[in-house]
Amino acid sequence: MGQLIKLQDYVSRYQQDIFVYPSRFVRLKKQQWDKWHKAWEANESFNPESGQRYTAGTAEWLEEEKEPLMEKLKGLLKRGKNEELEEYEAVGDEVTKEEDVLEFEASFAVRPETIDNLKHQFLDQLYRFQMKWATSTLTEKSFPDKHYYYDEKLKYFLQRYPDTYLVMFNPIFLLKKAPVETEIIVISPTEVWCISFLEEEDSAVFSGSKDRFWTKKGKGEEKKVLNPLLALNRTEKIVRKIFEIHSIELPIKKALLTRNGYIEYPAAPIDVQLIEKRTYDQWFQTMRSQRSPLKHVQLKGAQALLQYCQTASVKRLEWENRDES
């Protein structure tokens, strides 16, 4: 499952420490999946009379057992500044670790019939968990558009790619005090992909050129569509410039993707891959077969990009109250 490290301009906990959260997510996913799988194989079942959900967790995973953060911090204001800072950092680390584990408790009400159904239910719950990590932190939160919870393209990257792929879904960069929305950026252990979708009805044919508009032939009349390479090239230039500034050596590739249609562009630039219905399966399997672990240069590249992203968020109420105190 790809990891959503940035969605639009929403606050993301990956921005807090990109060197910690990706590996933590992989461990958490594996831990929960192992528990789910073992419980399923043991043929445990849902008991309607008890009102208990079918869960793979144990009492240590229950949210109620987490001591509220503010209770742990109450005594800090009475101590000296140095002592307060040290204990605050220790407590903050402890609560953060607890929250990261406890907030994802995999559960389902009815026992899935097959292992595939089990996987699908698990991935759907994990998707919602990813959305939480990509739109909130311990102290801040953003208010994502609800359609992202059902966005097919976003789910495509998060549910069908390896855990080591870091996804920036239409991030908004703040460059020279001006916001710039970009295409999808996927940071793998070995390269960075700038990806633009060009999809409409099934078997549509897009005729490409250097002009501002392309022609789409499909059901009904021909129509013009904005040249998708304009936004794709802009995205690649932003990534390349940031990498140059921070001396990041990671190959950058561009892909124009239409899974259900065709692209006719004989004179297409050689630096962009046109992935369409005839070539999609091969490209997709190559992407999915990536087995490299998370790499330092990959995380360093992600960190550099996140530094330039715009973020719109508000402080959680309990932290606003603490600041006022």
Side-chain angles (χ1 to χ4, degrees):
M1 186 171 193
Q3 300 191 50
L4 182 59
I5 66 172
K6 188 66 177 179
L7 174 61
Q8 284 272 299
D9 61 350
Y10 305 133
V11 65
S12 164
R13 63 191 63 201
Y14 286 91
Q15 291 176 270
Q16 294 182 318
D17 196 336
I18 191 64
F19 293 96
V20 168
Y21 279 101
S23 57
R24 183 175 294 176
F25 171 81
V26 174
R27 289 196 305 270
L28 179 56
K29 175 193 170 185
K30 184 179 186 305
Q31 187 177 33
Q32 278 287 282
W33 169 250
D34 288 344
K35 289 186 177 183
W36 265 51
H37 195 200
K38 288 177 182 177
W40 184 80
E41 287 187 325
N43 202 29
E44 296 179 12
S45 62
F46 174 71
N47 183 354
E49 294 181 1
S50 69
Q52 295 179 344
R53 290 179 300 175
Y54 180 94
T55 66
T58 58
E60 67 187 74
W61 290 83
L62 297 179
E63 188 76 26
E64 300 85 76
E65 295 199 4
K66 180 175 64 176
E67 184 178 347
L69 174 65
M70 298 312 296
E71 291 296 321
K72 290 191 176 186
L73 298 179
K74 274 185 178 179
L76 296 182
L77 294 176
K78 300 178 182 179
R79 305 169 188 259
K81 288 185 177 180
N82 292 335
E83 182 182 359
E84 174 182 325
L85 180 59
E86 292 174 359
E87 184 165 347
Y88 173 80
E89 291 175 343
V91 171
D93 289 343
E94 176 187 351
V95 175
T96 299
K97 290 176 183 177
E98 285 182 336
E99 184 208 35
D100 290 340
V101 173
L102 291 167
E103 67 182 350
F104 177 51
E105 179 192 350
S107 62
F108 49 95
V110 179
R111 185 181 188 275
E113 293 293 327
T114 66
I115 187 66
D116 285 340
N117 288 340
L118 178 70
K119 290 178 181 178
H120 290 153
Q121 288 196 35
F122 181 75
L123 288 176
D124 284 342
Q125 292 204 26
L126 200 56
Y127 179 80
R128 292 191 290 272
F129 173 67
Q130 274 275 277
M131 285 294 296
K132 185 174 183 179
W133 269 25
T135 60
S136 66
T137 67
L138 189 64
T139 60
E140 297 176 84
K141 62 180 179 180
S142 298
F143 301 93
D145 192 303
K146 291 183 179 179
H147 88 270
Y148 284 119
Y149 288 90
Y150 311 97
D151 191 290
E152 185 275 328
K153 293 182 177 66
L154 181 54
K155 279 192 171 186
Y156 166 76
F157 284 106
L158 299 192
Q159 294 187 336
R160 305 197 66 189
Y161 284 76
D163 296 338
T164 54
Y165 278 46
L166 309 179
V167 180
M168 303 178 73
F169 197 81
N170 298 134
I172 299 177
F173 288 89
L174 196 59
L175 306 172
K176 297 181 179 179
K177 299 183 179 181
V180 181
E181 182 174 342
T182 62
E183 300 299 284
I184 299 163
I185 301 170
V186 179
I187 310 166
S188 83
T190 57
E191 59 201 7
V192 175
W193 283 91
C194 300
I195 300 174
S196 180
F197 278 92
L198 183 64
E199 294 182 345
E200 294 199 22
E201 72 268 25
D202 194 38
S203 297
V205 179
F206 299 89
S207 298
S209 68
K210 295 181 180 179
D211 299 334
R212 182 171 177 78
F213 292 96
W214 286 14
T215 301
K216 190 213 78 171
K217 300 175 183 177
K219 296 178 182 178
E221 297 181 356
E222 290 186 7
K223 77 171 188 178
K224 292 186 179 298
V225 295
L226 185 65
N227 185 342
L229 296 184
L230 299 176
L232 191 59
N233 290 336
R234 181 170 63 246
T235 301
E236 186 263 347
K237 287 179 181 178
I238 290 173
V239 174
R240 189 172 300 281
K241 183 62 177 179
I242 292 174
F243 279 11
E244 288 177 357
I245 293 173
H246 294 272
S247 301
I248 307 294
E249 295 184 2
L250 205 56
I252 303 170
K253 297 184 177 180
K254 294 182 291 185
L256 182 58
L257 182 60
T258 175
R259 297 166 293 178
N260 63 345
Y262 304 93
I263 301 174
E264 293 181 348
Y265 192 0
I270 59 174
D271 65 343
V272 61
Q273 293 192 34
L274 305 180
I275 313 298
E276 38 116 89
K277 202 169 182 177
R278 291 167 291 196
T279 57
Y280 168 72
D281 285 341
Q282 182 180 354
W283 178 82
F284 178 61
Q285 291 305 321
T286 300
M287 295 286 281
R288 277 176 58 89
S289 63
Q290 171 67 259
R291 291 293 179 264
S292 296
L294 290 163
K295 293 188 176 181
H296 180 76
V297 66
Q298 173 193 16
L299 300 177
K300 190 177 177 183
Q303 182 186 52
L305 294 175
L306 288 171
Q307 288 177 0
Y308 290 84
C309 286
Q310 176 174 280
T311 297
S313 63
V314 298
K315 276 194 174 182
R316 292 183 183 271
L317 184 60
E318 59 267 31
W319 286 90
E320 288 184 349
N321 293 340
R322 182 180 182 279
D323 289 345
E324 291 175 1
S325 300

